[in-house]
Amino acid sequence: MTDHGSRSAWAKIRDELCDFMEDLQNTRLAVERSEILRRRFTLLDDAISGMRIEYLLEESDAKFIDYVLMPECFALLNAPTEPDAFDKDAFQALMVRIRNLKARWLAEQEVSLAMMLEAAMGRLPTHIAASNQGGGANSEHSQYTQLLELAIAVFECKVCTERMQTSDALAHRCARKPGLPWSLYFAGDHPDDEPGTYLYEARTFYPQVCPWNPECFTVPDLEPLRRVLRTCGQDPDVVTAEEMDVLDPRLAVARPDGTWRVMKWEDVVSCVSRFVRAASG
């Protein structure tokens, strides 16, 4: 072999060896960062579990994955690991405010559903109405809350087609099903879908629960429900779901075969049959 051939062969081996060593180092760093992130995630998960026991959280409340994606948690938990820059004091201070984070998350999801409902009802968006009335963020959310309390505030799951009102939509498990397009599962190569990255580790810490997302829902045609409410002597734009529960009407619904089925109000909400008339009682 000539000197030129030897140098070329060595250059090739050297490049391959450098690539191998770089990959080895990157793998080691990813494993180390993965272990550190998961220790930090465990601290957060323990705090959430403690809150769940103390305050008896409901299915509609924020889950681990929702907290870990909040800007405050992301800033602390995603701190550099070489050297370890995790601020334990700041984390403890944040955990004191964790109930505030939960309330804010719930308000944000309610706003998402309310805006969807507004569009379906053809209403002026609440943030514009609040601005015109001189209201601020609190006024805006108050109007959204009132909207979601209406009896016609009904949503349909795009996955299972079940119809439900707001509280059930927030607790609906299809909205957290792994692998759906709005989850943390990326299509193809993605820089955040590798071990050691924040989102990858967050996704794999609780792989069975994805972030709750309103894209799982749509607002069905509300006119049949409006007719139900009018037949019951109620104004669809005013009466609330709670008031209908108290009223507890019995409603006769036409089946496809022409027979009738007497149903309670909460059953009518999820019924896809067209309402025909109200039954006495």
Side-chain angles (χ1 to χ4, degrees):
M1 181 180 293
T2 63
D3 290 343
H4 175 71
S6 298
R7 285 196 297 271
S8 298
W10 166 244
K12 181 179 179 181
I13 294 173
R14 181 192 59 200
D15 292 342
E16 292 177 349
L17 185 60
C18 287
D19 290 342
F20 174 76
M21 294 303 295
E22 183 178 358
D23 289 343
L24 196 63
Q25 182 182 32
N26 290 337
T27 300
R28 178 183 63 81
L29 292 175
V31 170
E32 292 176 355
R33 180 160 175 78
S34 173
E35 292 174 351
I36 293 174
L37 283 174
R38 295 181 76 84
R39 286 201 295 269
R40 295 175 182 177
F41 289 162
T42 299
L43 291 176
L44 175 62
D45 189 45
D46 289 345
I48 296 171
S49 297
M51 182 174 62
R52 181 177 297 111
I53 294 172
E54 183 175 358
Y55 300 108
L56 301 177
L57 299 185
E58 299 179 352
E59 186 64 26
S60 58
D61 283 310
K63 302 294 189 291
F64 166 83
I65 191 63
D66 302 307
Y67 286 103
V68 85
L69 295 178
M70 293 178 184
E72 297 89 343
C73 293
F74 178 86
L76 284 173
L77 299 174
N78 198 37
T81 54
E82 285 195 354
D84 193 342
F86 181 59
D87 190 335
K88 293 183 179 179
D89 291 336
F91 178 80
Q92 291 302 326
L94 181 62
M95 292 304 98
V96 172
R97 299 191 295 113
I98 193 169
R99 290 184 66 192
N100 295 337
L101 298 180
K102 177 180 76 71
R104 187 190 68 189
W105 177 87
L106 185 60
E108 290 172 350
Q109 311 321 313
E110 288 178 342
V111 167
S112 298
L113 291 174
M115 292 178 68
M116 192 186 308
L117 187 62
E118 278 183 325
M121 296 171 64
R123 285 193 174 190
L124 179 67
T126 292
H127 68 279
I128 296 178
S131 175
N132 292 341
Q133 296 168 9
N138 291 335
S139 172
E140 177 183 337
H141 183 251
S142 176
Q143 292 185 56
Y144 278 134
T145 300
Q146 293 173 12
L147 180 64
L148 292 175
E149 290 174 349
L150 294 178
I152 60 170
V154 175
F155 303 91
E156 182 176 300
C157 176
K158 296 177 182 177
V159 179
C160 68
T161 71
E162 180 181 350
R163 293 185 179 184
M164 64 205 79
Q165 293 184 306
T166 305
S167 59
D168 292 326
L170 290 168
H172 194 57
R173 295 193 174 186
C174 286
R176 294 183 178 277
K177 185 174 293 185
L180 295 176
W182 51 84
S183 73
L184 288 180
Y185 288 78
F186 302 101
D189 294 333
H190 194 286
D192 287 326
D193 198 29
E194 296 180 0
T197 59
Y198 186 85
L199 290 183
Y200 177 91
E201 299 301 336
R203 172 166 65 82
T204 57
F205 193 82
Y206 272 123
Q208 70 275 23
V209 181
C210 288
W212 186 92
N213 197 301
E215 291 297 321
C216 183
F217 301 99
T218 186
V219 177
D221 180 11
L222 298 177
E223 188 53 36
L225 200 54
R226 284 180 173 275
R227 291 201 297 270
V228 170
L229 295 170
R230 293 191 193 101
T231 303
C232 293
Q234 303 299 316
D235 184 345
D237 294 320
V238 176
V239 67
T240 67
E242 183 177 357
E243 289 169 337
M244 289 301 297
D245 289 340
V246 173
L247 184 61
D248 194 26
R250 296 297 186 271
L251 306 153
V253 178
R255 290 171 168 165
D257 61 2
T259 60
W260 298 82
R261 177 185 175 188
V262 177
M263 305 174 69
K264 298 183 68 174
W265 159 251
E266 57 266 29
D267 297 323
V268 172
V269 170
S270 59
C271 179
V272 296
S273 300
R274 184 175 64 86
F275 172 77
V276 180
R277 62 179 175 84
S280 60

